[in-house]
Amino acid sequence: VWKHMTGRPLVSIVTPSFDQARYLEEAIDSVLSQDYPHLEYIIIDGGSTDGSREIIQKYSSHLTEWVSEADQGQTDAINKGFARAHGDIFAWLNSDDRYRPGAVSEAVAFLKEHPQVGMVYGDANLIDEAGHIIGKFPAAQTNYRRLRRGYVHIPQQSAFFRGELWRKVGPLDASFYFAMDYDLWVRLAKITPVLYHPRLWADFRLHG
């Protein structure tokens, strides 16, 4: 049951960030330019001193909420963001990545059409520092058994999952610095189908 009568689920997107001013505006733009109207966008900045705060303030009237304060890193920031979120569908977008146009509305449509599916993920390009496409993420269908054996193939940037399931299996394990998303996929796949939908939804930036 969606949160309100329009039949349009609320999508909560969290961006964790720390000293990524070089890319942050592109990430924010890629969220705010989505054609899906029922969105809450939360930015959790770790107390950046590189101009990120000024960029966030520039967009503050379009954000549901934002904070800039010291935290325990990316995992802690994502957990903080989702603790404030009210959505039917959750996603997070790191501050150096970006969504492709139409990503959110397509993900919502897929989850509406497949009510038994708890998470959907699409394709992602690999991009460089300048935003040029340098490859494609090897996204593929996986499941709980395969995930347990290391067959991940889920681009985090293009994953959307149901908020009610986060409330069951979250928060992220803060002891993981890079594998916290993999750990979450395993927990979700244990209780719900996770489906690969081969549509291009995000750009994953590789840089120093």
Side-chain angles (χ1 to χ4, degrees), residues 111-123:
L111 288 171
K112 283 183 82 170
E113 286 160 23
H114 302 84
Q116 78 287 0
V117 173
M119 182 173 100
V120 62
Y121 56 98
D123 283 314

Side-chain angles (χ1 to χ4, degrees), residues 161-182:
F161 52 92
R162 299 186 190 275
E164 68 194 271
L165 297 179
W166 168 268
R167 294 173 194 109
K168 284 181 187 167
V169 305
L172 298 176
D173 185 337
S175 71
F176 290 119
Y177 189 71
F178 288 116
M180 69 289 189
D181 52 353
Y182 179 18

Side-chain angles (χ1 to χ4, degrees), residues 11 13-15 17 24-25 27-33 39-45 52-68:
V11 178
I13 296 171
V14 170
T15 288
S17 190
L24 177 60
E25 193 154 13
I28 293 172
D29 271 336
S30 79
V31 174
L32 296 180
S33 64
L39 204 65
E40 67 172 8
Y41 188 26
I42 300 165
I43 299 179
I44 307 292
D45 180 78
S52 293
R53 190 186 173 99
E54 289 72 20
I55 292 168
I56 297 166
Q57 281 174 322
K58 182 173 136 185
Y59 289 94
S60 60
S61 63
H62 301 285
L63 305 176
T64 309
E65 196 174 340
W66 68 279
V67 297
S68 181

Side-chain angles (χ1 to χ4, degrees), residues 68-207:
S68 181
E69 61 191 21
D71 56 34
Q72 303 301 306
Q74 182 186 352
T75 307
D76 182 38
I78 296 163
N79 285 339
K80 256 164 71 173
F82 285 147
R84 293 163 155 79
H86 305 95
D88 301 289
I89 296 168
F90 279 11
W92 82 84
L93 183 76
N94 290 328
S95 51
D96 49 1
D97 298 330
R98 63 193 185 197
Y99 283 132
R100 305 289 295 192
V104 175
S105 54
E106 287 187 15
V108 169
F110 187 92
L111 288 171
K112 283 183 82 170
E113 286 160 23
H114 302 84
Q116 78 287 0
V117 173
M119 182 173 100
V120 62
Y121 56 98
D123 283 314
N125 287 326
L126 305 176
I127 60 171
D128 65 11
E129 294 192 15
H132 300 129
I133 297 169
I134 53 173
K136 191 180 173 190
F137 187 99
Q141 182 60 54
T142 190
N143 58 32
Y144 177 67
R145 186 178 56 81
R146 285 172 160 185
L147 281 162
R148 288 294 301 270
R149 292 167 56 192
Y151 190 89
V152 189
H153 293 280
I154 298 172
Q156 172 273 313
Q157 302 75 10
S158 73
F160 296 82
F161 52 92
R162 299 186 190 275
E164 68 194 271
L165 297 179
W166 168 268
R167 294 173 194 109
K168 284 181 187 167
V169 305
L172 298 176
D173 185 337
S175 71
F176 290 119
Y177 189 71
F178 288 116
M180 69 289 189
D181 52 353
Y182 179 18
D183 178 51
L184 178 65
W185 311 150
V186 172
R187 289 191 242 165
L188 285 168
K190 191 175 183 180
I191 62 168
T192 186
V194 298
L195 244 61
Y196 168 49
H197 186 44
R199 298 281 300 166
L200 182 59
W201 285 346
D203 292 327
F204 177 16
R205 195 184 304 267
L206 304 177
H207 63 94

